[in-house]
Every structure is written in structure tokens, then in C-alpha cells.
Amino acid sequence: MLARVRRRLRDGPLVVLLLGLPLAGTAQAPEEELRDEEPVGEIVVRGVRPGALPRVPTASSDIVETDDFEAENKTLAELLDGLSGVRVRRFGGRGEAAELSIRGSTANQVVLTLDGVPVNNALTGLADPNDYCLPQVERVAVTRGAGSSQVGSGAIGGVIDLTTRSTSDAPTTAVTFSGGAFDTYEGSIRHARPLGELGLQLGYCGLTTEGDFEFARPTQVVAGIPIEFEPDVATRLNNDRVRHGGNLALSHPLGIGELRLRSLFSYVDGGAPGIDSGNGPTAGQALEARRRNWSALTIADWEGVGFLEDTPLLRAHHRFEELRFENPMPALGAPIDTRARVQTYGVQARDEWEPRVLGNAQHFRIFADGTRDELRDADQRNRQRNRGGVGTESTLRALKERVVLSASVRLDGADGFRRAWLPSGGLAVTPVPWLRLRGNVSRAYRVPNFNELFLPDQGFIRGNPNLEPEDAINADVGAEFLLEALGPLRRVRLRAALFRREIEESIVWVLVSPFTVAPINTGDATVEGIELSGSVSLSRFLTVSAQHTHIDSERDETGKELPGQPEFETFGRVEVGFPDVVKLVGEVQDTGEILVNEGGGRRLPARTVWNASVSLNLAAWSPLQRFTRARSLWVFFEIDNIGDVAVRDSLSFPQPGRNASAGFEARW
């Protein structure tokens, strides 16, 4: 019975719901699994052998197995930035803060979940992917333009779910370490093993960096006149940083199911140089400001097998986060010392089953969740807010799963705001095993976060308690196909999608007086675009993949472009090597101009950034294998930003130029 439970947990509904056509060079389903999904008949077409697409619902999604990037020294932010429709906005170098965007959304409009639990900060509404180190994560699922009916408020752009590594049936140990430019060192260790019926997994990761990279100063264009800073090159000052993260996972059979406990923590301490904004050797940076954040997330759940072959889940979770900022010598005003503590208590419950109706497989799911957010802040009144929702979803499969129809609805609510119905629906048609057509439409909304509502008036910035929730309609249509062989080519995968988002009452921080910035509802806006992605293997030793996203956005009232997003972004990847022996990877990211302010007077230039890495598995050499007894022992060397291009995602936050690192990754 326990084995049956674990099998259902491993292949559970979340994975089935989000499983989509992976981007090449990321997760690829085994050929045996693909062929088992739908038998492929003999087709007499010279040089062409069709494949069978993996079984997926109608959502536009990707599944990424992080082990596919073994020995590439990637961060979670770097991995996500290579996926179709996803953009990561960075505010500096390795280990510094980053924000997520999906299909041109703001960072507040993306929900990041960890094992199904939302982890966006209730104070700011944001989630930083750099708070989670990649060795702790087993799988990443990205759902674009959908997800509100499952997670509720916030998922206007979509949902990114991280699945942490679980306990294992055999002792497993993994160690990584790297060192590189700007005195940057990072490493991790992970161990999992069974202890009788108890499953155990421990992990730790850490990073330290001086972060003192040089950067080119920006050229601003104001009223058509270019303005340059002096000097034209400066050094990032007060940019040292330390990060620590850890996790603990326990599992034990309980009744007809399994009880699991997971606990994760993260800690960040470092300088906060702020914006690059002035002339002179310091470039207007803050030399004494410090930022210290730490958080802890605990999840306890029970999942088992019950009546009607269902898989009920009961879960409780708690997240604590403290954010502190100090600046004893600000450019203006008195010394600053702020501290905010945010706690979120939550429960989740779901039940699902898969009956067969008229010989066709069906899937039904009901769910409910509730959370309570509590804010304790020395600079403002304590705040509390209750949120929650109930919903149901169903997936109907007909004609031997060639037609899949999905529908879901959620009733969501938050204190101080009206309740909202969040319906969604989708259709996928697979006329032949290697071709799929699909479309989706869903409603999404987002209630304002605590900062947007209640930020104390600091003279130059304040909140707005009169804000209305953002309300949006997402729709997309697309096609994808897979050919196992096309002449000399193997595993040809292509996908295209058109998407559109219409949003009402979007929330934007603007100047509400000559000296004060505050959030307001700016009315309706439209975002539409196209996503293209594909991959091909020329042999067992060469795989090429690419994705391109083009976005056109505008404020409906003014017709002006929305700021913060490039018009296009293209990512390409080439992987060459012998499996499990040597791997050479080249990546390129081409990013269009980025509009900085809504008036259109300031833009960041387009750029093309090249990265490369080479990895060698020493354990593949027989003498070393006997010596190390490791399953794998990779050594790697990588160079980022080979062209030494000036990179900025926002006007006043530079990123490093050319930099290199080297290290190793071992598993036993």
C-alpha cells in the first residue's frame, strides 16, 4: 500500500496538470514514455518518423528537471530566464535581488509557489527566485497566463511552482562548489537516506561575494538631449553579500497515506548601494546602507489513497519573514532604520479522483485553502488580512484522449475587497499523435499588497488605501508538434502560441504631486504577443534549442507603451558532448530596448549577451572512478557575458560585465 501511495505522490496531479512540451535543453520525456502514451503506426514518408507528444492538459506550460543542467553552475533565476515567456529582471550580480515576469506582467502579477504553497511576500507582493538555491529544487513548473483558479489572487501573468527534493529510497549525497570573479564563492551539500520507515533529506547552500564589479554609466535622454555622467565607468561599492539557505524533509507512512514535513530557511545580509545616480567616483551610491532579510517556511501535509481511488491532501503551512534596512548616512534626511515582520499562516485541502465515463478517462478535483497575513512594522500600524478560496476543476478526455476539455472555477476573497469568481477553460485537440492544437481563456485578479495600500507617508512616497484590485482576462491559442526523425534530424520539437491579456484597474506607482510617488489605478491596458520555441537533436551529441517572445503592450486610454518590458527577447542554446562524459554549452540572449518611464523619454539600449561553459565528468574515467567511488564528479569552467556588454534591466541598477567561475559538482 505504501509503495502505491508513493507512486501516486510522485506522479501526482500537479505534475499531470502542468506537464507540457518542455523547452529543449531542459526537461525531455524519455522516448519509452512518449511512445507508451500513444502507439505510432507505420507512416510511409521517406526520412520522416513521427513522435508522440506527452500527455498534457490544455494549459500552456513547461516542466523543467533541474538535473538536466548538471554542472552548469546555474541559479534558479538564470534557469527561468531561458524559458519561453518568462523574463527575470535583475538588480545586480550573483546573489542580488531579482523579479519575475510572465508574458509582460509586472512582478506582482506572478505567483511563486514552493511545493504548492504561495511564497510571495504579503508586504511587497514580490517573490525573489534568488532566495531558493537550485540544488534544493528538483523540478520547476511554469504555467503561463493561467493558474488563478488554483492559487487565487496574484496569478495574472501565471504561476511558477518549485518542487523541492524529497527523501530517497537509497543513500544519496551531492556536493557543489565554485569560485569566481569579484571574490564570489558558493557551494551546497545535500544528503538523503531512509532510516527504517522514516525518510530523511538535509540540504544547505551558501554564497559570499564582494560584488565590486565595474560598470559603464548610462546615457540618459531627457527632452531629446543626451546627458552623460562623469566618469563614464564606475565601480559598484558597498555591494558585498552573504546568502545562506537550508532545508529539511521528513516522511513517514501514516495510516493509508504518508505524512511529510518540510522546512526551508534563507538568510541574506549585505550592502545596499542603491541607485547609480550621480557624478564623481562614488556615482551617487549609498556607502553605508545595509539590508538584512531572513525567512523560514514550514509545510506539514498528509496525502494518501482513499475511496474512489482518490488522493486526498491535507496541509498546514507557516511562513515568517523579517526585512530590515539601515542607512545611518542617507543623502537626504535623518538616519533610516526600518524593520518589518510578516507572517502567513495557511491551510490547504483537496480531493480528486479519476473515474472512467463511457470508456473515457476523466479527472475531477475539489479544493479549498485559506491564509492569514500579519504585518508588524515599527513605521506603520500593525495589519492583518484573511484570504481564501474554494474551487473545483475537471478534465474530460474523449476519443482515446485525442480531445481534452478542461474547466475550473474558484471563488476567491480577501478582507476589505469584494469576492471574485475566477473561471477558466481550455481545449486541446490531438488529431495525430505528433500534433496538438490548444487554447485557453481564464479570468485573473490581484488584490493590492500591504505596501501599496498602507505604506507610511515618507514625504516622497506613500501608499493608497483606496486602490481597487487589478482584474484581467487571459487568452491564448497555440500548436505544437514532435517528430522523432526528419531526415538526419532527431526529436524535432516546435511550439507556437498567440496570447492576449486585457487588464482593468492596473496598479502603477506614479508621481501624484511634484514631490510624491504613490500607487494609483491607471485604467485599462492590453498586452498581446507571440511565443515561439523549438529544439532539434542532430545526433546524440548535439542539441540546439531556441525560444522567442514578442510583446506589444499599451495603456488603452493613452495608447502609450507600458514600461519595464523589452519588445522582444530571444534565447538560444547549443549543447555538445558525450552523455555523462563531457558537455560544452553555449547560450545567447538577445534583448530589445526597455522603456524605463511611461512617458517614453528614457529607454535602455538593446543588448546581446553570450555565455559559455565546459564540463568534464572525471568519474567517467575508470581509474578515478575506483578512487572516488562517485557516481559523477564534474569539473566545470564558465564565462558569462563574453562580449563584456553593459547590461541593465532598470535604469539605475547595473549588472556585471565579463566574468568567469570554476568549480566542481559530485554525487555519490
Side-chain angles (χ1 to χ4, degrees):
M1 175 66 74
L2 181 59
R4 180 185 180 193
V5 171
R6 286 178 172 160
R7 183 173 64 253
R8 294 184 67 87
L9 295 178
R10 184 178 64 248
D11 304 323
L14 182 61
V15 175
V16 174
L17 175 66
L18 296 176
L19 184 61
L21 179 64
L23 185 66
T26 59
Q28 294 188 0
E31 293 185 12
E32 293 79 8
E33 179 182 337
L34 292 174
R35 294 193 183 108
D36 287 343
E37 293 296 334
E38 194 74 50
V40 179
E42 182 178 352
I43 299 179
V44 185
V45 179
R46 186 176 180 181
V48 176
R49 179 160 53 92
L53 288 162
R55 178 183 180 187
V56 300
T58 59
S60 179
S61 57
D62 281 318
I63 293 286
V64 178
E65 302 290 342
T66 60
D67 285 346
D68 290 338
F69 297 91
E70 187 177 19
E72 294 185 36
N73 200 31
K74 280 187 178 293
T75 64
L76 177 61
E78 290 169 340
L79 185 152
L80 290 169
D81 209 15
L83 298 182
S84 178
V86 180
R87 171 169 168 74
V88 178
R89 187 186 191 198
R90 297 180 178 87
F91 294 91
R94 193 89 172 183
E96 294 191 54
E99 294 179 348
L100 298 168
S101 171
I102 298 179
R103 289 179 170 175
S105 72
T106 66
N108 282 315
Q109 295 169 347
V110 176
V111 174
L112 182 67
T113 63
L114 192 73
D115 293 330
V117 175
V119 293
N120 292 56
N121 184 283
L123 177 64
T124 64
L126 303 176
D128 185 351
N130 284 328
D131 285 341
Y132 307 96
C133 81
L134 200 59
Q136 293 178 344
V137 178
E138 180 177 7
R139 182 181 301 112
V140 180
V142 178
T143 301
R144 297 178 289 274
S148 283
S149 58
Q150 283 74 40
V151 301
S153 170
I156 290 177
V159 179
I160 298 175
D161 181 65
L162 311 179
T163 300
T164 59
R165 296 188 183 274
S166 58
T167 57
S168 73
D169 295 331
T172 302
T173 302
V175 178
T176 68
F177 179 80
S178 68
F182 322 120
D183 290 324
T184 301
Y185 302 94
E186 58 186 312
S188 69
I189 183 169
R190 173 173 52 86
H191 180 72
R193 67 181 306 115
L195 297 173
E197 291 190 316
L198 179 69
L200 169 68
Q201 210 248 163
L202 293 165
Y204 164 80
C205 61
L207 174 146
T208 177
T209 181
E210 287 300 313
D212 52 350
F213 56 86
E214 290 188 344
F215 59 92
R217 309 299 304 284
T219 297
Q220 302 186 51
V221 179
V222 179
I225 302 174
I227 300 176
E228 297 183 353
F229 287 109
E230 292 289 343
D232 57 358
V233 175
T235 299
R236 200 64 164 146
L237 304 174
N238 185 34
N239 199 39
D240 62 293
R241 182 160 286 94
V242 173
R243 280 185 177 268
H244 300 283
N247 71 310
L248 166 68
L250 300 171
S251 62
H252 195 279
L254 180 64
I256 57 174
E258 187 173 57
L259 180 67
R260 298 177 303 219
L261 175 68
R262 282 152 290 170
S263 183
L264 297 95
F265 79 90
S266 69
Y267 173 82
V268 183
D269 185 6
I275 61 176
D276 156 32
S277 61
N279 294 315
T282 65
Q285 301 173 84
L287 303 183
E288 302 292 336
R290 308 292 294 180
R291 190 183 306 277
R292 183 182 301 113
N293 300 344
W294 78 276
S295 66
L297 172 67
T298 301
I299 305 171
D301 58 36
W302 176 87
E303 189 168 10
V305 175
F307 299 105
L308 299 176
E309 296 293 319
D310 55 348
T311 55
L313 169 74
L314 301 174
R315 170 179 289 158
H317 57 88
H318 172 258
R319 186 170 190 265
F320 173 86
E321 186 167 7
E322 180 177 279
L323 304 94
R324 184 167 186 178
F325 177 80
E326 302 171 280
N327 189 355
M329 299 177 62
L332 297 172
I336 301 172
D337 187 352
T338 66
R339 177 182 295 180
R341 295 179 177 178
V342 182
Q343 294 193 78
T344 298
Y345 304 85
V347 294
Q348 295 178 346
R350 73 161 187 249
D351 201 359
E352 53 193 289
W353 56 97
E354 295 188 355
R356 297 192 67 84
V357 178
L358 300 177
N360 296 312
Q362 319 297 332
H363 180 268
F364 297 96
R365 183 173 182 248
I366 56 174
F367 53 88
D369 56 68
T371 59
R372 178 177 175 82
D373 299 320
E374 297 183 354
L375 169 65
R376 301 288 183 269
D377 191 330
D379 296 326
Q380 61 178 291
R381 204 179 79 196
N382 294 338
R383 305 285 180 177
Q384 301 84 33
R385 180 163 66 186
N386 297 312
R387 298 177 290 130
V390 296
T392 181
E393 64 180 11
S394 64
T395 302
L396 308 178
R397 305 178 185 274
L399 301 178
K400 296 183 179 180
E401 302 199 16
R402 296 186 185 276
V403 177
V404 179
L405 178 65
S406 65
S408 62
V409 63
R410 175 187 177 97
L411 178 61
D412 197 85
D415 286 348
F417 299 94
R418 64 185 185 277
R419 295 183 180 88
W421 288 97
L422 304 176
S424 67
L427 174 66
V429 179
T430 309
V432 289
W434 48 269
L435 174 65
R436 177 175 294 119
L437 308 173
R438 61 182 173 188
N440 295 271
V441 62
S442 63
R443 182 191 177 198
Y445 91 132
R446 182 181 74 87
V447 298
N449 57 58
F450 283 150
N451 265 357
E452 291 169 329
L453 291 168
F454 309 121
L455 186 68
D457 191 342
Q458 300 176 13
F460 66 96
I461 189 171
R462 63 172 173 81
N464 180 1
N466 298 316
L467 290 173
E468 293 292 328
E470 296 178 325
D471 200 338
I473 298 294
N474 285 307
D476 63 66
V477 294
E480 54 186 317
F481 79 92
L482 165 68
L483 294 177
E484 285 291 341
L486 179 61
L489 307 180
R490 296 292 181 270
R491 299 190 63 78
V492 181
R493 294 169 175 258
L494 296 176
R495 178 173 59 192
L498 297 171
F499 61 86
R500 181 181 175 90
R501 177 186 307 120
E502 296 182 354
I503 183 169
E504 299 177 0
E505 303 295 351
S506 70
I507 298 173
V508 178
W509 291 81
V510 300
L511 279 169
V512 295
S513 74
F515 305 103
T516 305
V517 174
I520 64 171
N521 292 109
T522 60
D524 300 348
T526 301
V527 178
E528 57 188 10
I530 183 171
E531 294 168 347
L532 304 171
S533 64
S535 67
V536 60
S537 295
L538 280 73
S539 69
R540 291 182 57 224
F541 315 112
L542 175 60
T543 299
V544 180
S545 62
Q547 64 91 358
H548 175 82
T549 302
H550 181 93
I551 295 175
D552 183 17
S553 64
E554 66 176 31
R555 188 80 58 202
D556 291 358
E557 183 177 351
T558 64
K560 292 184 177 180
E561 179 185 352
L562 299 179
Q565 289 289 330
E567 183 180 3
F568 70 88
E569 193 165 47
T570 303
F571 178 85
R573 174 183 169 96
V574 177
E575 183 176 328
V576 183
F578 295 90
D580 302 322
V581 178
V582 63
K583 179 166 60 170
L584 292 86
V585 176
E587 295 179 340
V588 59
Q589 190 158 40
D590 187 25
T591 304
E593 282 188 336
I594 301 175
L595 177 66
V596 173
N597 66 325
E598 201 156 338
R602 295 182 177 180
R603 291 180 179 268
L604 292 168
R607 81 249 184 170
T608 301
V609 176
W610 296 81
N611 305 320
S613 68
V614 57
S615 310
L616 179 65
N617 185 9
L618 299 181
W621 297 6
S622 298
L624 288 176
Q625 190 176 43
R626 290 194 297 269
F627 176 74
T628 64
R629 298 185 182 276
R631 287 188 296 169
S632 64
L633 176 56
W634 292 90
V635 293
F636 57 82
F637 175 75
E638 65 172 352
I639 302 178
D640 292 333
N641 196 351
I642 296 172
D644 200 22
V645 177
V647 177
R648 292 171 185 255
D649 290 330
S650 60
L651 182 64
S652 301
F653 291 87
Q655 298 176 40
R658 183 188 302 115
N659 63 96
S661 63
F664 71 88
E665 182 172 329
R667 299 190 184 191
W668 291 270

